[in-house]
Amino acid sequence: MKFTLALALSALALFGANEFSGRRAPSFSLPDVTMRQHDILDYRGKVLIVEFMQTRCEKCQSFTKALEGRVKPKFGDKLAVLSVVVPPDSLDDVKKYINVFKVTNPILFDSGQMASSYVKATPDRPAMYFPHIFLIDQQGMIRNDWQFTSAGLYPDVISGDRLLTEIEKLLNEAAPK
């Protein structure tokens, strides 16, 4: 689904880790459904998934099922997940989504500014496709990202082992030798 970013981003998605990776994750503090603030700095020391999603997006729903069914049980407290929604999703939409999909990670509300900083939105490139997943290492660096488009790119991240392999790699890099 499209938020408001250009088709140029879909071409970048063909190459896996792209211009959005290999940099420090932009800082933020956003509220969840209980209005508790979540600051990205509170998650340092853990591998972190920041997922931009929409509650009506079928690919986002599939990714939520994969997170809850395979990813989070495998890594436990070594992995943190923050899902982020932007308008038009509302508090009621997110509460319903949490109940239907049994979401155990916080879903945060952004007005678009935080999302824009992650995808380096500009007036020439104002769009974002959902879901867009950022994998952040224990030091706060974006190590990989995947965006999904209508072309259905990166199905191995949702249903395959690609995300699991990437997380294991980051955890092994941080393990004491």
Side-chain angles (χ1 to χ4, degrees):
M1 297 182 89
K2 190 174 175 187
F3 169 58
T4 35
L5 292 169
L7 294 176
L9 293 179
S10 63
L12 292 171
L14 294 170
F15 303 106
N18 58 46
E19 72 174 288
F20 306 127
S21 299
R23 63 185 170 113
R24 183 182 59 82
S27 192
F28 63 85
S29 179
L30 296 172
D32 65 15
V33 295
T34 66
M35 296 304 126
R36 176 177 170 244
Q37 290 288 314
H38 293 264
D39 189 316
I40 191 173
L41 296 177
D42 294 338
Y43 296 91
R44 286 280 166 94
K46 292 187 179 201
V47 172
L48 175 64
I49 293 172
V50 173
E51 170 208 13
F52 294 95
M53 59 162 286
Q54 289 185 322
T55 58
R56 291 175 186 86
C57 164
E58 290 180 16
K59 292 175 186 141
C60 300
Q61 294 167 2
S62 295
F63 187 65
T64 295
K65 290 175 186 175
L67 280 175
E68 295 296 336
R70 296 182 46 209
V71 179
K72 289 174 18 183
K74 179 175 175 93
F75 297 108
D77 65 357
K78 296 176 192 168
L79 173 71
V81 177
L82 296 174
S83 298
V84 180
V85 296
V86 296
D89 274 322
S90 69
L91 182 61
D92 289 339
D93 294 334
V94 171
K95 285 180 178 180
K96 181 179 176 186
Y97 190 88
I98 289 169
N99 288 329
V100 168
F101 292 98
K102 310 293 187 249
V103 178
T104 59
N105 58 274
I107 298 180
L108 311 180
F109 293 91
D110 176 38
S111 61
Q113 184 175 353
M114 180 265 204
S116 294
S117 70
Y118 270 73
V119 298
K120 299 180 179 182
T122 67
D124 293 338
R125 292 187 334 188
M128 172 181 240
Y129 292 92
F130 295 100
H132 196 131
I133 301 156
F134 288 85
L135 184 60
I136 301 169
D137 70 15
Q138 296 89 327
Q139 292 74 44
M141 296 296 291
I142 299 173
R143 296 291 293 271
N144 212 332
D145 74 283
W146 302 273
Q147 69 181 0
F148 296 77
T149 68
S150 58
L153 300 174
Y154 303 117
D156 58 329
V157 175
I158 291 178
S159 59
D161 291 333
R162 185 168 184 185
L163 183 60
L164 299 173
T165 301
E166 294 282 333
I167 293 168
E168 286 172 351
K169 185 171 88 173
L170 292 179
L171 290 171
N172 289 334
E173 287 176 10
K177 307 261 185 227

